Amino acid sequence: MHAMLGEDPDQEERLRILNNKYLSIEYPENAEISIHVPIEELQDSKDDQWVLCKGYIGRTKLDCAVGCGHWHKLQFTSQELETGTVNIVDHFSELLSNTKVISLITYQNGIQNSLEDFKKMGGLIYTKLPERPLCIGLYNTTYGLTNDLGRLAQTIDGYLTRIICCTRVMINTFTKLFLKSHPNLLWTHIAHSEGGLIASCVLKQLRFDQELFLRRHLITATYGAVDPIPKRVGLFTLNTYSEDDIAVGFGKKYINNPGYHIEIVKSLVPKKEQPKIEGDHAFSGATYQETLRLNINNIRRNFKIYDAKKS
Amino acid sequence: MMQKKVKVLIYVFLVLWLHLPLFAGDEGYDVYVDEIMRSVARQMEKELHLVWTGDSGMMHEQVEEIGMKFNAYRRATIEEARALELHVINKLVQAINSHEKIQPYLEERPFTYKRVQVSISFKGENGSYSDGTVAHVSNAPDFAVIENRNKLFYDSNDPLDQNYDMEIHSEHYEEAERLVKASPRQDLLVHHTTEQEKAIDQLLINFTEEMWETCGLSRWSIGGKMTHGIEEIGAKFTAFYPATQESARELQVFATEKLLKAINNNEKLKPFLKEYPFPASRIKMRICFRDKKYLNYSDGSMESIAFDGNEITYYHDLIIPRKTVEPKYFPVRTEVLAKETYSEALKVVQNIPQSKRKFKSKTI
C-alpha cells in the first residue's frame, strides 16, 4: 500500500502507526525542501546560537534547526524582508563555499527525542565547530516509545516511513543544488540511533548521479546507529558504538563485515551511573561526546571546515 | 490497548533480531583489507597491549587509504607516543605490502605511510588522560588538506573544556622518523608509571567515587596540569538534579573542600605538589546541572557553576520570548547570574548551621 505525503503528516502518521497500517509513503519526484528562518532570529543571533525553524516539503511542515556563524552574508530580497522569513536553501550560494572544504553539516536524532533533545543535539555538535559552518538539523518526531519502535521495525522491514521520505527529499534537494552550483563542496552528516538507520536507507536509494557525487563529497558519522552506514556510500564513513550502549548489537552484527567501518569504544560512564535499559546510548553522554570531538578533529585535519571569517 | 502494545513489542523484537545486514561488502578487496587489519591488530595487542577499536579508510574502486584506531590503557609522553605511532604505522604498511592478494587493488604500490592513518588514544580509569600528557596521537595521510598532509598530531585534553582537542605538538612524519631513529629505545613503546602518576590516579579515582556517592556528581573528566609536578587540578561533573544558587554554592564549596583535604592529607602526593598546602586557587571545577536526558533546566535554576582562579561564576538559562513563534521555539541563552570569590562563598556556607546544610561536612 502507498500513500502520498499529506498536509497533516503528524496526524496521519499517528493513525498509521496506531492502526498498524504498514504502508510506504511516496512523494513527487521533483519535491524539494525549503527551510524558513525568521529574519529576526538571524539578526539577533549570537555566534553560538542554534535556531529552531520550519521546513516545508510542499504543504508538509517539518521541524528543523539551523546554526551559522556568517548569517551576515545573507542578502535578503525585498519579499523576504516583507514576510520576515528567509528560505536559506535559496541562499546556499551565500552561505556555502565552493572549494573542497566542509561547508555544510546536517544532523538527525533518534527515537524518543523531544524537540528540546533535538535542539540540544545540534547545539552539542555546533559548539565543537569554532568555524561555525552552516548546520542544518531535520527533526525525527517522536510518537512515544512504543510507536517509535514500531516505526523503526517498519523501516527495517522495508517500508518508507514519513521521516525517510522527508530526509530523502532533503538529501535530493541539496545534492541536486550542489551538482549544479557547488560541485567541489564537502558535506558532513551526523546521526544518532534511528537517525543512522534513516540515513542508511536514504543513501542506498539515490539516483546514480547523486550516488556518485556523494561518494566523493559526503562524510558521515553515526553514533549508536540502528543501521550503520556502509563505507561505499560516502567519502569517509565512521560508525561508533559505546560498548555499553543497548544499540551496540547493531554494530557488532557488522564487525566482521568488511563493507563497514565500525568502532566500538569503551564507555566513559561508569555502569552504576548508566540508565538501566538503554545503557550508554545518550548522544549527550560523555562517551559519544568525546568520540564526536575526536571525529570532528580528525575530519577537520583531513578535510578542513569552512570558516567564513577567514575567507 | 495493553495487548496491542505487547504485540507491537514482540513484532519489533522479532524484526530487530532477525534483521540481516542490508548492504554487505561487495568489493573483492574488502576481505583482504579485513585480513590485514586483523593480523596487525593481533600483533599490536600481543606486543604492545594496544586494543583495536575501529577502522577507517577511503576505498572506492581501489584501496586509497587504510586506517586503524587503537586504545592504549596507559599514559604517554610525546616521545613515547611518537615511537608508538611510527611503530604501528610501519607494521601496518609492512602488512599491506606483504599481502599478495590485495596488491592489484591498491591505488599505489608499494603503499607507504602516506596512505595509512593510525590513531591511538591513551586512556586510564578516569577516561582519557587530561593531565598534560598525550591523550591522543594520530597522523594525517596524503589526502588531507595540504597544511596537515603527512604530519603527526599530539593532542591533550582540557578537563574543563571538552569541545576541542588541545594540540600540544605536531611535526612532519619525516621529522618524527628522524627523532625516533636518533633515540631508538625499545622501552619507549611502553610507559612506566611514575610515583606521582600512581598517587594522583588513586586520589582522583577515590574523589570521583566519593562525589558520586555523597552528592550524585557524575564525573565527566578530571585531570589538570601535572607534567612538572601537580600545578593544577581540574574536573568537570554533571549533577542530574536542579539547583538554586544557594545549593550550587554549597555543592561547590563541599566538593572543593573535600578535594583539598584529600590532596593535602596524602603523604604520597606531598612531594609532587607545586605548593603545600595546595590552595583552592589551584583548583578548577565546572558542575553542570542537567536532567536525566542531559537537557538544561531552563526554569530559572542553575545551568552550571564554574570555579576558576578563586572565582565562582553562576550561570542560568534565559528564555527569550518571541511574538512570531510558539513558546516551544523560543530561543534560550545561557547567561551569567552572579559571581563571587571562593572565600565569600566559603563564609556563606560556614554560616549555615550543619543541620540545614544539604551536604554535611565536619571541616566546613
Side-chain angles (χ1 to χ4, degrees):
Chain A
M1 285 173 70
H2 286 77
M4 296 300 285
L5 260 185
E7 195 168 323
D8 189 357
D10 267 355
Q11 181 61 17
E12 287 164 20
E13 187 80 348
R14 267 179 225 276
L15 287 171
R16 248 194 303 283
I17 291 169
L18 286 172
N19 295 322
N20 285 334
K21 284 203 173 141
Y22 306 128
L23 72 173
S24 285
I25 315 293
E26 278 184 3
Y27 59 96
E29 194 57 41
N30 59 353
E32 287 189 346
I33 191 171
S34 58
I35 298 170
H36 293 257
V37 188
I39 291 178
E40 176 189 30
E41 291 300 328
L42 302 183
Q43 286 168 336
D44 195 30
S45 74
K46 285 188 177 174
D47 186 51
D48 57 351
Q49 198 164 314
W50 201 240
V51 178
L52 284 176
C53 57
K54 284 286 184 204
Y56 295 89
I57 297 173
R59 287 180 296 180
T60 301
K61 274 185 267 189
L62 306 154
D63 283 310
C64 301
V66 294
C68 185
H70 44 275
W71 292 127
H72 60 274
K73 289 191 160 208
L74 285 172
Q75 289 165 27
F76 304 118
T77 62
S78 49
Q79 194 185 3
E80 285 164 347
L81 287 168
E82 211 178 292
T83 57
T85 62
V86 55
N87 173 12
I88 58 169
V89 179
D90 285 342
H91 292 265
F92 272 0
S93 55
E94 290 141 57
L95 297 172
L96 304 176
S97 168
N98 193 23
T99 54
K100 207 174 175 187
V101 295
I102 298 167
S103 308
L104 174 66
I105 315 274
T106 51
Y107 80 94
Q108 195 158 48
N109 57 290
I111 64 168
Q112 251 208 317
N113 269 222
S114 65
L115 201 56
E116 202 52 42
D117 293 317
F118 165 69
K119 190 179 166 188
K120 171 94 185 185
M121 181 179 175
L124 287 170
I125 295 167
Y126 201 49
T127 49
K128 292 170 179 60
L129 299 163
E131 301 89 343
R132 301 287 189 254
L134 176 64
C135 296
I136 298 173
L138 183 62
Y139 179 45
N140 177 21
T141 313
T142 181
Y143 300 98
L145 178 63
T146 319
N147 293 328
D148 285 1
L149 285 175
R151 177 182 65 201
L152 205 112
Q154 285 183 34
T155 309
I156 294 171
D157 248 359
Y159 289 93
L160 298 176
T161 58
R162 170 185 169 260
I163 189 60
I164 294 210
C165 208
C166 295
T167 309
R168 188 195 287 174
V169 170
M170 182 183 80
I171 291 182
N172 270 346
T173 309
F174 291 176
T175 315
K176 259 194 301 189
L177 272 170
F178 298 154
L179 275 167
K180 238 191 317 191
S181 56
H182 290 81
N184 297 318
L185 157 150
L186 296 179
W187 170 9
T188 297
H189 183 70
I190 296 172
H192 176 243
S193 191
E194 189 191 7
L197 171 64
I198 295 164
S200 188
C201 288
V202 170
L203 291 171
K204 290 173 207 163
Q205 294 171 14
L206 296 171
R207 278 199 337 257
F208 184 63
D209 58 333
Q210 292 172 331
E211 204 182 286
L212 273 183
F213 176 80
L214 292 177
R215 275 191 183 196
R216 290 287 172 189
H217 293 268
L218 178 68
I219 295 151
T220 64
T222 71
Y223 301 89
V226 171
D227 195 35
I229 294 174
K231 56 188 179 190
R232 208 86 56 242
V233 305
L235 178 64
F236 206 65
T237 60
L238 304 162
N239 300 292
T240 308
Y241 296 85
S242 163
E243 64 181 5
D244 290 340
D245 186 345
I246 193 174
V248 72
F250 295 116
K252 281 185 175 171
K253 258 205 276 263
Y254 293 91
I255 203 118
N256 294 319
N257 187 326
Y260 291 77
H261 293 308
I262 305 288
E263 184 181 7
I264 297 181
V265 296
K266 196 167 158 61
S267 175
L268 292 180
V269 181
K271 268 211 162 55
K272 58 187 173 186
E273 296 177 24
Q274 292 173 15
K276 294 217 175 349
I277 298 173
E278 65 265 37
D280 189 18
H281 186 62
F283 181 79
S284 321
T287 313
Y288 285 144
Q289 285 304 296
E290 180 179 87
T291 319
L292 176 69
R293 188 190 85 236
L294 287 172
N295 287 346
I296 288 178
N297 212 35
N298 187 26
I299 288 168
R300 177 185 287 116
R301 282 191 175 135
N302 285 329
F303 300 106
K304 207 165 179 182
I305 297 174
Y306 179 48
D307 188 342
K309 300 183 282 298
K310 289 185 180 170
S311 60
Chain B
M1 192 66 178
M2 198 60 186
Q3 267 187 338
K4 186 185 163 306
K5 279 196 178 173
V6 168
K7 274 189 202 168
V8 167
L9 284 170
I10 292 171
Y11 172 75
V12 164
F13 177 80
L14 283 172
V15 167
L16 293 178
W17 279 99
L18 290 175
H19 165 57
L20 295 169
L22 297 175
F23 199 91
D26 56 2
E27 297 285 352
Y29 57 69
D30 280 331
V31 172
Y32 307 140
V33 170
D34 199 54
E35 277 172 13
I36 290 165
M37 287 199 282
R38 284 180 192 282
S39 82
V40 171
R42 272 194 301 270
Q43 194 182 0
M44 292 302 102
E45 178 151 23
K46 194 174 166 192
E47 278 178 19
L48 302 167
H49 307 294
L50 294 183
V51 177
W52 180 36
T53 59
D55 58 273
S56 63
M58 296 226 295
M59 299 169 215
H60 298 94
E61 295 74 31
Q62 289 194 293
V63 177
E64 297 156 47
E65 183 254 338
I66 294 177
M68 293 183 75
K69 299 182 187 188
F70 296 90
N71 278 351
Y73 292 98
R74 55 185 180 269
R75 282 185 173 79
T77 59
I78 291 179
E79 292 73 26
E80 290 163 350
R82 177 189 293 127
L84 196 57
E85 175 79 0
L86 258 52
H87 182 82
V88 180
I89 288 174
N90 287 334
K91 290 291 177 190
L92 180 54
V93 166
Q94 275 171 28
I96 294 168
N97 290 329
S98 59
H99 194 289
E100 272 183 41
K101 290 183 180 173
I102 202 173
Q103 298 306 306
Y105 299 100
L106 299 176
E107 195 168 73
E108 186 184 65
R109 277 185 279 173
F111 241 46
T112 66
Y113 66 85
K114 296 181 181 183
R115 290 200 174 256
V116 301
Q117 189 168 28
V118 168
S119 69
I120 305 171
S121 295
F122 298 93
K123 293 183 185 284
E125 290 255 8
N126 282 315
S128 294
Y129 287 109
S130 308
D131 57 4
T133 56
V134 178
H136 187 75
V137 61
S138 61
N139 69 304
D142 214 36
F143 72 75
V145 290
I146 196 161
E147 59 264 34
N148 294 334
R149 213 166 271 177
N150 302 316
K151 275 181 154 178
L152 266 63
F153 295 93
Y154 306 84
D155 298 319
S156 178
N157 280 344
D158 178 347
L160 293 184
D161 186 352
Q162 294 283 298
N163 284 324
Y164 313 119
D165 280 330
M166 287 181 349
E167 186 183 300
I168 48 177
H169 185 62
S170 67
E171 62 204 356
H172 198 273
Y173 181 90
E174 281 162 18
E175 172 64 12
E177 218 174 27
R178 188 190 66 75
L179 288 167
V180 167
K181 275 187 184 145
S183 52
R185 287 160 47 194
Q186 200 57 29
D187 64 357
L188 275 180
L189 297 171
V190 177
H191 180 81
H192 297 289
T193 308
T194 63
E195 290 305 316
Q196 175 189 308
E197 286 165 356
K198 270 186 212 162
I200 193 68
D201 282 349
Q202 194 55 55
L203 183 140
L204 294 181
I205 289 167
N206 293 343
F207 176 67
T208 53
E209 274 176 15
E210 189 182 1
M211 287 298 102
W212 172 250
E213 299 298 331
T214 54
C215 322
L217 288 184
S218 174
R219 183 258 307 143
W220 190 273
S221 54
I222 195 162
K225 279 188 192 161
M226 301 178 193
T227 39
H228 306 288
I230 314 282
E231 294 175 55
E232 197 177 88
I233 292 182
K236 186 175 167 187
F237 291 97
T238 307
F240 293 105
Y241 48 82
T244 58
Q245 186 186 346
E246 291 68 35
S247 59
R249 175 191 290 119
E250 210 187 305
L251 181 59
Q252 182 64 70
V253 167
F254 179 83
T256 306
E257 291 300 308
K258 279 283 177 190
L259 183 56
L260 286 173
K261 184 183 171 188
I263 295 169
N264 289 319
N265 287 351
N266 191 314
E267 288 300 320
K268 288 182 187 172
L269 207 55
K270 209 166 155 180
F272 307 111
L273 297 176
K274 229 24 184 190
E275 197 180 326
Y276 183 83
F278 202 76
S281 57
R282 287 185 180 267
I283 303 243
K284 287 184 180 182
M285 213 180 282
R286 188 175 185 107
I287 303 172
C288 298
F289 299 96
R290 301 283 183 265
D291 67 16
K292 291 271 189 262
K293 295 177 87 182
Y294 290 92
L295 294 177
N296 298 14
Y297 293 103
S298 300
D299 59 359
S301 63
M302 293 293 100
E303 183 274 334
S304 64
I305 178 170
F307 174 42
D308 185 359
N310 246 343
E311 187 176 69
I312 300 179
T313 309
Y314 301 88
Y315 295 92
H316 69 156
D317 279 344
L318 280 179
I319 298 173
I320 320 287
R322 293 272 187 243
K323 287 180 191 164
T324 49
V325 297
E326 299 163 56
K328 65 178 176 176
Y329 297 109
F330 287 170
V332 176
R333 287 210 190 120
T334 301
E335 306 221 335
V336 174
L337 173 69
K339 284 189 184 195
E340 61 189 353
T341 63
Y342 181 70
S343 45
E344 283 167 352
L346 184 60
K347 248 187 228 159
V348 170
V349 172
Q350 282 169 338
N351 287 335
I352 302 172
Q354 284 279 352
S355 56
K356 290 200 172 156
R357 289 189 202 170
K358 202 172 170 190
F359 308 104
K360 302 201 188 329
S361 168
K362 291 175 189 166
T363 52
I364 303 172

